[in-house]
Amino acid sequence: MKTISKIILLSVLTAFLFFACSKDEDEQEPQPIPKTTLSSISPNQGIKETAVTISGINFGTDKTKVKVLFNTTEAVIQSVTNTQIKVLTPINGSTGAIKVSVDGVSVSGPIFTYLQPTLSSVDPESGPKATQVTFTGSTFGTDASKVQVFFNDIEAVVESVTDTQVVALAPDNATSGVVKLIVDGTELTGPEFTFLTPTLVGFTPESGPVGTEVTITGSLFGTDTTKVQVFLDEELELEIKSISDTEIKVDIPNESISGIISIIVDGTELIGNEFVLEAAITGIEPESGIKGTEVTINGSSFITLAGMDRIAVFINDKEAQITSVLDDEIKVIVPAKAFSGNVKVIIKDDEYVGPVFNYIVSEIEVSTFAGSGSIGFSDGLGTAAQFRSPIAIAIDDLSNIYVADRDNYVLRKITPVGEVSTLAGVGRQFGDIDGTGAEARFNAVNAIAFTKSGDMLVCDANNHKIKKVTTGGVVTTFAGTGINGSSNGPALSATFKGISGIAIDSKGNAYIVERNAHAIRKISTSGEVSLYAGDSQPGTTNGNGTAARFNFPQGIAVDAADNLYVTDGGTHLIRKITPNADVSTIAGSIKGFTDGQSTTAQFNFPTGIVVDKQGDIYIVDKNNHSIRKLSSDGNVTTIAGDGTTTDFNFPNGITIDALGDLYVTDQLKHRIRKITQE
């Protein structure tokens, strides 16, 4: 019985312990709520409505249980995770600590600083309307709808916004004044912006023909051709070829007249100076021909400029007959003896120069101007006069001709109508006497040249002197002692040997051909005689000055550029001497009688030489009894004489008048011949 009782007691005790243990497991105490912590905020400064991320733990995920304060002002929560809260800074918030409340439990965070926008610069501070202006500063944000720009209280168009820059266009209707920037209600005042207006400085050229490109210079033109207009004489709008902010290019069109050039830039009118329209010659057709050829001169504005005034046309300074005139065309007839030269149109005293018309000589006439052809000595009209070996010839500005009548020992004068008289010396009486008219004596004068003053210098060959002769017949010794020699020095102390030619350049220096010394001597304007080119030794060497060689040089001439041309008789060549004394051979090869290019042409003892206004050279080919022409293009032709004594008999000297007529001393026929070219 006791055993059963023990068993029952043990069972009850075991059951009690089981239920006691079960109760302990079912009735454990509640766990504590996790603590919210705030570790950081980003960013920690900004403007209102800045997106801020708050980082920490135990925020939960229920936005309704979370509250965020920026220095007592509640922010709008955008999202919540257990570790992050995203909010926008409140519009009316202020700098201060951030507080986060989660399910009523608050925790404080770091300070968030509210930033205010700043304006540090405006660039540029001046410009025309529609100028792109950049405002630089801070805290502008990026929302263009919250940014306004004003130019002197006129709102501008905002082109772009970043947090540090705002770009706006200066308004069309604004005026100079202070600029303002308003960022989300905060007004920022900048400097004064000065509105600039376009300017017209000038244009070049200020005159020209149709087709002239005119460059207009100034400022603030812009580059939009739709906003710019250019006018000539107020009404004629010119097409703009190119434009930049400082330059406009236009062409003068066909319908133009002279007038003021003005421009309108985006409504602003600018007045310039007058552009003076000129006529122009653009070409001629044909470019060459004989006398009587009809030439068409193409160009512009002939009638526009002339109006009712006379138009004149010249070919090589010889007036041509006009047959018709249009605004862009003039037709003329080439006059006889025009020769080659520029075409010129004269309108109201203005000269317009065109291209060269190449005149082709179609007729050459040789006639006797003075002298009977029989040897003798008598004055008279034309062929009633007599000469004895006339050798040199020259012409003055009044077309009077002077002849060295060598073997009569006199200087003769022939008027334009052919009246022959004796200027100085006495027929058949040689000597060496200075004086006037018949008082003077010469001994074989063989060269004549005119000075600028209108006096003559003549070579008195057998007296070895250079003499000065006025047109009134007064004779004085200019250089030389009378001794046969080649000494340099002052003119009246120098000596000469076998002189045969003389020329005077534009400065007044005289150049003397010393035939027997194979040299060219120079008499300076100060009266000093020196050796200019060549030396005592004959030869054909080209070179500078005394390094060159000549062989019995005969005649000499000078052109408008002061180049000298020498007939080198002994070598049958034509030589050129530049103003720097460089000697070269320009025509001739060997002794003969052949036309052609200069280097293949042939001469036989050339003597007289003259240069015309066009630069063509005429040469007396003495032993070929002919007159040759060396044109400026280097071609040699025979213009008179056939190599026999039919037309000429040992001609020697030559000169040319203003009309282009040539005069030749026909030495052994004792007469003066005239060659007319048409």
Side-chain angles (χ1 to χ4, degrees):
M1 191 63 183
K2 274 174 95 174
T3 302
I4 293 171
S5 297
K6 290 180 180 179
I7 292 170
I8 292 170
L9 181 61
L10 182 61
S11 298
V12 172
L13 181 60
T14 301
F16 175 77
L17 290 172
F18 175 80
F19 285 111
C21 290
S22 297
K23 185 176 181 181
D24 288 340
E25 289 178 3
D26 292 339
E27 296 182 6
Q28 290 180 353
E29 294 183 3
Q31 296 292 322
I33 295 173
K35 184 179 180 180
T36 298
T37 62
L38 195 159
S39 59
S40 65
I41 62 173
S42 178
N44 63 4
Q45 60 180 11
I47 62 173
K48 53 191 175 182
E49 294 189 312
T50 297
V52 177
T53 299
I54 303 169
S55 299
I57 57 174
N58 297 324
F59 295 145
T61 59
D62 188 350
K63 282 200 302 184
T64 64
K65 294 182 178 182
V66 179
K67 183 186 291 186
V68 178
L69 301 177
F70 281 73
N71 194 23
T72 73
T73 303
E74 187 173 354
V76 175
I77 296 174
Q78 294 181 305
S79 65
V80 176
T81 69
N82 198 47
T83 59
Q84 275 191 349
I85 302 171
K86 293 184 181 292
V87 297
L88 294 178
T89 58
I91 292 174
N92 54 349
S94 59
T95 298
I98 288 180
K99 292 180 182 179
V100 176
S101 176
V102 179
D103 203 13
V105 178
S106 296
V107 58
S108 294
I111 291 174
F112 181 87
T113 301
Y114 268 80
L115 300 177
Q116 295 297 320
T118 64
L119 177 60
S120 58
S121 67
V122 176
D123 183 47
E125 293 185 5
S126 63
K129 54 189 177 182
T131 296
Q132 192 177 65
V133 180
T134 300
F135 297 78
T136 302
S138 64
T139 321
F140 296 151
T142 58
D143 188 349
S145 67
K146 296 182 178 180
V147 177
Q148 291 175 287
V149 177
F150 293 87
F151 285 74
N152 200 20
D153 297 328
I154 302 297
E155 188 169 5
V157 174
V158 175
E159 287 197 317
S160 64
V161 176
T162 69
D163 197 52
T164 58
Q165 279 192 342
V166 174
V167 178
L169 295 179
D172 288 350
N173 55 343
T175 57
S176 297
V178 171
V179 292
K180 294 179 182 179
L181 181 66
I182 298 177
V183 180
D184 203 11
T186 300
E187 183 176 303
L188 304 171
T189 300
E192 181 173 307
F193 182 88
T194 302
F195 274 86
L196 302 177
T197 56
T199 62
L200 193 161
V201 175
F203 58 86
T204 55
E206 294 186 348
S207 62
V210 165
T212 297
E213 182 182 77
V214 175
T215 300
I216 303 168
T217 56
S219 64
L220 305 177
F221 295 150
T223 57
D224 187 350
T225 56
T226 64
K227 295 182 177 181
V228 180
Q229 292 174 287
V230 180
F231 292 90
L232 175 62
D233 195 41
E234 297 184 356
E235 296 182 355
L236 179 62
E237 185 171 2
L238 308 183
E239 182 180 353
I240 295 174
K241 294 174 63 180
S242 66
I243 187 170
S244 71
D245 201 48
T246 59
E247 186 177 274
I248 300 171
K249 291 184 181 293
V250 295
D251 284 340
I252 302 300
N254 284 327
E255 61 271 27
S256 298
I257 60 174
S258 295
I260 298 295
I261 284 186
S262 60
I263 61 175
I264 298 176
V265 181
D266 204 10
T268 301
E269 184 175 17
L270 305 171
I271 306 298
N273 296 324
E274 183 183 20
F275 178 85
V276 179
L277 183 69
E278 297 177 344
I281 300 173
T282 58
I284 59 173
E285 187 179 354
E287 295 180 348
S288 62
I290 63 173
K291 64 178 182 179
T293 299
E294 184 178 69
V295 175
T296 300
I297 304 168
N298 297 307
S300 61
S301 307
F302 296 135
I303 294 178
T304 298
L305 291 180
M308 299 301 293
D309 291 343
R310 178 175 178 270
I311 296 175
V313 177
F314 293 83
I315 298 176
N316 191 32
D317 295 327
K318 192 172 182 66
E319 189 166 6
Q321 177 189 351
I322 297 175
T323 57
S324 67
V325 178
L326 298 174
D327 204 44
D328 60 353
E329 178 185 282
I330 301 174
K331 292 183 181 293
V332 298
I333 301 299
V334 176
K337 301 174 72 172
F339 302 112
S340 298
N342 292 99
V343 172
K344 297 178 183 178
V345 175
I346 309 296
I347 302 174
K348 292 183 177 179
D349 297 326
D350 291 322
E351 181 178 273
Y352 302 97
V353 180
V356 171
F357 178 80
N358 294 303
Y359 184 92
I360 298 172
V361 174
S362 57
E363 295 180 19
I364 297 176
E365 180 183 347
V366 179
S367 60
T368 300
F369 184 65
S372 64
S374 60
I375 194 168
F377 175 67
S378 62
D379 293 335
L381 182 64
T383 56
Q386 290 182 311
F387 298 89
R388 189 184 300 270
S389 294
I391 195 166
I393 191 168
I395 191 166
D396 68 12
D397 291 338
L398 299 176
S399 297
N400 295 300
I401 294 172
Y402 298 84
V403 177
D405 193 1
R406 189 190 65 182
D407 292 352
N408 276 324
Y409 310 111
V410 293
L411 196 63
R412 311 289 287 276
K413 175 181 177 180
I414 310 174
T415 68
V417 296
E419 187 69 40
V420 179
S421 60
T422 301
L423 179 69
V426 176
R428 301 298 294 155
Q429 294 184 27
F430 64 87
D432 183 11
I433 302 173
D434 291 346
T436 301
E439 298 173 354
R441 295 292 185 272
F442 302 98
N443 192 354
V445 174
N446 62 3
I448 308 169
F450 274 92
T451 67
K452 279 186 175 182
S453 62
D455 298 322
M456 289 170 275
L457 294 182
V458 303
C459 292
D460 195 358
N462 290 347
N463 283 325
H464 315 293
K465 289 181 177 181
I466 311 301
K467 293 189 174 180
K468 177 181 175 181
V469 184
T470 70
T471 53
V474 179
V475 180
T476 55
T477 299
F478 182 76
T481 64
I483 297 172
N484 186 16
S486 295
S487 61
N488 295 318
L492 295 176
S493 300
T495 59
F496 296 91
K497 178 190 294 186
I499 51 181
S500 62
I502 186 169
I504 301 171
D505 68 15
S506 63
K507 299 178 182 64
N509 300 299
Y511 299 88
I512 314 299
V513 176
E514 272 196 323
R515 176 182 56 200
N516 295 345
H518 314 290
I520 310 299
R521 308 281 292 283
K522 177 180 178 180
I523 307 175
S524 70
T525 54
S526 63
E528 193 71 20
V529 178
S530 61
L531 180 60
Y532 186 66
D535 206 341
S536 58
Q537 300 299 315
T540 59
T541 304
N542 292 322
N544 182 262
T546 56
R549 294 291 180 267
F550 298 89
N551 191 349
F552 291 102
Q554 299 294 310
I556 190 168
V558 63
D559 68 11
D562 285 339
N563 295 297
L564 299 172
Y565 299 90
V566 178
T567 50
D568 203 8
T571 58
H572 317 289
L573 303 176
I574 310 302
R575 316 290 291 278
K576 177 180 178 179
I577 310 175
T578 69
N580 294 323
D582 291 321
V583 179
S584 60
T585 300
I586 62 169
S589 53
I590 60 173
K591 177 181 176 180
F593 186 29
T594 303
D595 290 338
Q597 278 300 304
S598 58
T599 55
T600 58
Q602 296 174 348
F603 301 91
N604 187 355
F605 203 76
T607 53
I609 187 167
V610 70
V611 186
D612 70 11
K613 292 186 295 184
Q614 289 72 50
D616 296 324
I617 302 171
Y618 295 91
I619 301 152
V620 176
D621 194 2
K622 186 166 187 170
N623 290 353
N624 280 324
H625 313 289
S626 62
I627 310 303
R628 316 286 290 280
K629 178 180 178 180
L630 172 58
S631 63
S632 54
D633 63 4
N635 192 52
V636 176
T637 56
T638 301
I639 66 166
D642 58 5
T644 70
T645 59
T646 302
D647 292 322
F648 299 95
N649 192 355
F650 292 102
N652 194 85
I654 189 169
T655 193
I656 190 168
D657 67 13
L659 299 177
D661 293 330
L662 299 167
Y663 297 87
V664 178
T665 54
D666 194 2
Q667 185 178 350
L668 295 191
K669 287 194 174 182
H670 314 290
R671 57 188 178 179
I672 309 304
R673 309 300 298 281
K674 179 179 180 179
I675 303 175
T676 302
Q677 302 180 83
E678 291 189 3

